[in-house]
Structures are given as C-alpha cells and as structure tokens.
Amino acid sequence: MEPSAFDNMGWIEIVFGGIVTLGFGFWQLWSINREIAKDKKKAATDEASKDR
C-alpha cells in the first residue's frame, strides 16, 4: 500500500480536539477567576459600607 497524505488524519483530529478542549478549559478558568474577583470586590464593598 502506498503512503498517502491522508494517513495521519487521526493525529490531526487528536491535536484539534486537544486544542479545543484546552481552550474551553482555560476559558472556564478565566471565567471562574473573574467571578471570584467580582465576589471579593462586592464583599469588600459590603463590609466597608457595613462599618460606617
């Protein structure tokens, strides 16, 4: 059987799937960290107004 350009399509699929998965994971991490920062800021604001 002759080697062809389509013999390595499995690797392309694995790499593409990995990139998509890692991208989604990093997006989730960024989103959660943003929400945590927002909650900390709100808690600090609430605590400051409570002390007055």
Side-chain angles (χ1 to χ4, degrees), residues 7 9 21 24 26-28 34 37 42 48:
D7 286 344
M9 293 301 277
T21 303
F24 183 73
F26 281 120
W27 174 73
Q28 286 289 311
R34 191 177 57 183
K42 184 177 184 288

Side-chain angles (χ1 to χ4, degrees), residues 1 4 8 10-11 13 17 25-26 28 32 36-37 40 47 52:
M1 199 156 136
S4 73
N8 292 326
W11 285 108
E13 184 177 351
F26 281 120
Q28 286 289 311
I32 291 297
I36 290 171
K40 282 183 181 179
E47 186 67 30
R52 287 185 177 182

Side-chain angles (χ1 to χ4, degrees), residues 8-50:
N8 292 326
M9 293 301 277
W11 285 108
I12 293 171
E13 184 177 351
I14 290 169
V15 169
F16 181 74
I19 289 170
V20 169
T21 303
L22 286 174
F24 183 73
F26 281 120
W27 174 73
Q28 286 289 311
L29 182 63
W30 175 71
S31 177
I32 291 297
N33 285 339
R34 191 177 57 183
E35 288 295 321
I36 290 171
K38 198 185 304 182
D39 289 344
K40 282 183 181 179
K41 185 177 178 182
K42 184 177 184 288
T45 304
D46 291 346
E47 186 67 30
S49 66
K50 191 178 186 184

